[in-house]
Amino acid sequence: MRAKITYFVTAAVLVVYFVLVGSRGVLLIQQGTALTVTFGVAVLILPFIGLWFLWKNTQFVQRANRLAAELDAEGGLPEDELARTPGGRIDRDSADAVFLKRKAETEDSPDDWRCWFRLAVAYHDARDTPRARKAMQRAIALHDGKQVRA
């Protein structure tokens, strides 16, 4: 729940920022000189790129949450079998051991979105966010029946 609140607060702050930047772009365009119009257009492009990025990330999170709910309903969510430090952080060796198990599971069933979902969680636990995201994207694509490159 904490992650959802943080995400929505961050998204709201970004939207406010995009509105402020966009209004500055409009003000620059209203000045009417070649230089200010050029800068105004350039400034207006930035909020659109930011909104696109925010939209794509929101879609990704919604799809990943949908998969998590479906896997939970099937009883297939990975169990938390990780050792933790006294401070509550995941022990690196424990995360690596679980990762190896999830990787082997995925290699045995490369077309099963459930395996890729669990592998994404293992990557995340091992603090490898880029690979966790790619594995989750693959799980989403497999779940949706899309063609996935090897």
Side-chain angles (χ1 to χ4, degrees):
M1 188 63 170
R2 184 176 172 195
K4 284 183 181 182
I5 292 170
T6 302
Y7 186 81
F8 285 116
V9 168
T10 303
V13 168
L14 280 172
V15 168
V16 169
Y17 176 75
F18 297 149
V19 168
L20 290 173
V21 169
S23 69
R24 296 298 175 186
V26 170
L27 289 173
L28 284 168
I29 291 170
Q30 288 175 344
Q31 292 294 315
T33 68
L35 184 63
T36 59
V37 169
T38 303
F39 279 134
V41 170
V43 167
L44 279 177
I45 290 171
L46 294 175
F48 286 110
I49 293 171
L51 285 171
W52 174 83
F53 183 74
L54 183 62
W55 174 250
K56 294 306 274 183
N57 278 311
T58 301
Q59 283 183 318
F60 174 76
V61 168
Q62 288 174 338
R63 289 176 180 148
N65 285 340
R66 187 182 74 225
L67 289 181
E70 187 173 330
L71 203 54
D72 187 30
E74 295 175 357
L77 279 179
E79 293 183 29
D80 187 2
E81 51 191 306
L82 300 168
R84 302 197 184 270
T85 65
R89 294 190 64 135
I90 295 172
D91 178 62
R92 183 73 170 181
D93 293 334
S94 175
D96 289 343
V98 171
F99 168 77
L100 291 174
K101 188 164 80 171
R102 299 292 179 225
K103 184 178 177 190
E105 175 185 294
T106 305
E107 288 170 350
D108 290 341
S109 302
D111 295 329
D112 186 359
W113 68 266
R114 294 161 187 85
C115 294
W116 282 98
F117 183 94
R118 288 188 284 266
L119 181 64
V121 172
Y123 270 127
H124 181 267
D125 290 341
R127 298 186 200 127
D128 191 345
T129 305
R131 287 190 178 131
R133 188 171 183 88
K134 286 185 193 260
M136 187 60 73
Q137 287 170 338
R138 188 173 187 112
I140 292 167
L142 287 169
H143 178 269
D144 293 346
K146 294 181 181 171
Q147 189 71 10
V148 179
R149 292 184 314 172

